Amino acid sequence: MIDVGCGTGIATRQLQAAGCRVLGVDPDARMAELALRSGGEAEVARFEEWDPAGRAFDAVVAGQAWHWVDPAAGAAKAARVLRPGGLLAPFWNVFRYPSDVAEAVVEICERELPDVPFDFRAAIRGSADMYRKVFARVADGIRETGAFGEPELWEFDWEFFYTRDAWLDLMPTAGAFIRLPPDRMTKVLDGLGAAIDAMGGGFTMDYTTVAVTAVRTDTA
């Protein structure tokens, strides 16, 4: 199978552990190198422009990455590289903050980053709505190819307990923070750490993993 936007190989390693042979495709050579170091296979390219060199695959998956792919061109490329009966399955993890954690994150970010053109409150409250729009575009792109059966939406609810340190490790990877200078990021993390400490040192985040799946037809 292909892992589109494989990044450092987080999804790839789990798929390999389940017995799958996985080829990662990522536009960032540095990400692909990390995936290779962890024992995976990876090629550097945007998926829409990637050359499969005549190879065919049983599945194309994308964990937290398909929104970076053009929905029509990406679905068309998937149709070309999948065998009949093959599966296209981009998926995302959609989070829902506990209300007290959400308020703390917004208050600290608005205080420490007043000049950042990012609506933290809308982003935290609207994550589910944002992804619903993404899912609709993905499904429309799949339908446009005429090469797949009707897309299906799957949802799986789960939760994860974050310790203070685990949460502070994750926060700098969010899109709103990746370009912050280290001194400003430190202020945000100090504030968040103090807030989590005040809540008892950790919290439980609710997640929904959402997948859009479609099967490559025999007649396309």
Side-chain angles (χ1 to χ4, degrees):
M1 68 168 58
I2 304 170
D3 182 7
V4 178
C6 63
T8 59
I10 294 172
T12 292
R13 289 189 291 275
Q14 294 178 72
L15 292 165
Q16 288 173 326
C20 301
R21 181 178 178 183
V22 186
L23 171 64
V25 177
D26 198 283
D28 191 318
R30 297 167 299 177
M31 291 286 193
E33 177 63 25
L34 288 172
L36 288 168
R37 289 180 191 174
S38 65
E41 299 178 68
E43 297 180 6
V44 180
R46 293 182 68 239
F47 179 64
E48 304 95 313
E49 301 165 357
W50 169 66
D51 180 9
R55 292 167 291 182
F57 299 84
D58 294 320
V60 173
V61 303
Q64 301 286 119
W66 197 257
H67 52 281
W68 298 112
V69 175
D70 179 274
K77 173 57 72 71
R80 288 195 293 273
V81 303
L82 281 170
R83 296 183 178 94
L87 183 70
L88 172 60
F91 62 91
W92 293 263
N93 295 317
V94 183
F95 61 84
R96 293 181 300 280
Y97 278 97
S99 58
D100 53 349
V101 178
E103 287 302 317
V105 171
V106 169
E107 188 276 327
I108 291 161
C109 290
E110 289 180 343
R111 183 186 70 218
E112 300 295 345
L113 308 171
D115 56 339
V116 172
F118 189 86
D119 190 335
F120 294 99
R121 190 172 299 276
I124 286 176
R125 289 180 174 174
S127 63
D129 290 338
M130 177 185 72
Y131 277 103
R132 288 190 187 97
K133 296 176 182 177
V134 172
F135 305 147
R137 290 197 298 270
V138 170
D140 287 344
I142 293 171
R143 293 186 186 102
E144 286 178 20
T145 68
F148 292 92
E150 178 61 18
E152 297 184 6
L153 182 67
W154 299 77
E155 298 186 5
F156 306 91
D157 293 328
W158 52 285
E159 61 184 30
F160 186 83
F161 181 80
Y162 283 101
T163 63
R164 176 189 189 276
D165 290 344
W167 181 244
L168 297 187
D169 284 343
L170 179 64
M171 285 298 287
T173 68
F177 305 119
I178 55 177
R179 294 184 181 273
L180 279 182
D183 59 330
R184 302 189 73 185
M185 191 69 241
T186 296
K187 289 182 178 180
V188 171
L189 294 178
D190 287 346
L192 292 173
I196 300 303
D197 285 341
M199 297 173 192
F203 66 93
T204 298
M205 180 83 85
D206 290 328
Y207 281 94
T208 300
T209 296
V210 183
V212 181
T213 67
V215 176
R216 172 74 157 77
T217 62
D218 292 331
T219 57

